[in-house]
Amino acid sequence: MIIDQKKIKTWSLIGSRATFGMALLEISKDMKDLIVLSGDVSTSAGLDRFRKLQPEKYVEMGISEQNMIGVATGLSAEKFNVVTTTFAPFQTIRCCEQIKINLGYMKHKVTLVGLASGLALGNLGFTHCCIEDVGILRTIPNITILSPADCLETVKCLQYALKCKNSVYIRLTGTSNNPVIYKDDYDFKIGEAIKLKEGNDITIFATGRMVHNSLKASEILNEKKISAKVVNIHTIKPIDKKSIEEANKTKMIFTVEEHNIIGGLGSAVAEHQSSLKNSVRLVRIGLQDNYSSGGSYEYLQKKHGLSTDNIVETILKNYQNNG
């Protein structure tokens, strides 16, 4: 696939969901064994053109997500390269047992794409928000978890997931007009975090849509004489242990995620931190193990402490009290 600035701009405008469908159509032209299963989300996943142009590679499963995983398993057993997709809570939480048995335990390979994870669907309430998916899937063996920072990285994650031997969950966050993190093509490797900004005082590990907010926060912190390194953790499992060890050369570590602080990126970093000698203090920024009423994406980010200003405020408070 040719990746240029025109495509990157288009993907940013349409958002990660539509980018997924557009990229999958292009990828499918060179993959005879590819087959896509949709849980009644052809339009939401940007798959309408795929469905029309590649009907032999598309199966509409309707709102029967658990059955979708079962069908995907059977197709995988017959050597198809299978992609399943629906909204994140239905792709993961509703299908947890099927994912555990068929993909984790039996090791059938399926690429799972969770649409609009985190707070993107906040206007529909927390039945459609998803702040638990990473925590649940991290506990299942043989599942890689990817959380792209922007739409270009969504394409990179999809390309690499289709090449993996084990199952992969791609967690898509953000909405349309998704901010660009990568302006040009770049080298992407599963399990290798990407340093986006150098800094000596603190390290900010961010994932998904929160990478943008964290980069903006680092600019404000720099004006306040706090040098913040920003690292994109696009692979939450397996976590990049070397990057965590490197972060301990700074004075503090902060994790920022559109997820419950229990079980997500912050927990993954903390688990490795606990094995290190003389590790620095870690502060996890995310949803504080609670649900709230619904609201717009921007409203919920601010309410749960994930806006750029919120991140700056939390970092300043903790850094100044770090002793």
Side-chain angles (χ1 to χ4, degrees), residues 183-198:
K183 297 179 181 179
D184 298 291
D185 198 3
Y186 65 100
D187 189 25
F188 175 93
K189 293 181 180 178
I190 286 179
E192 294 188 16
I194 300 175
K195 189 187 302 180
L196 298 175
K197 183 177 177 294
E198 292 285 358

Side-chain angles (χ1 to χ4, degrees), residues 13 55 60 79 82 91 95 133 140-141 189 195 200 207-208 229:
L13 289 171
E60 179 55 68
K79 308 304 180 184
V82 188
Q91 176 71 275
C95 302
D133 48 350
I140 300 177
K189 293 181 180 178
K195 189 187 302 180
N200 300 315
T207 190
K229 177 168 67 175

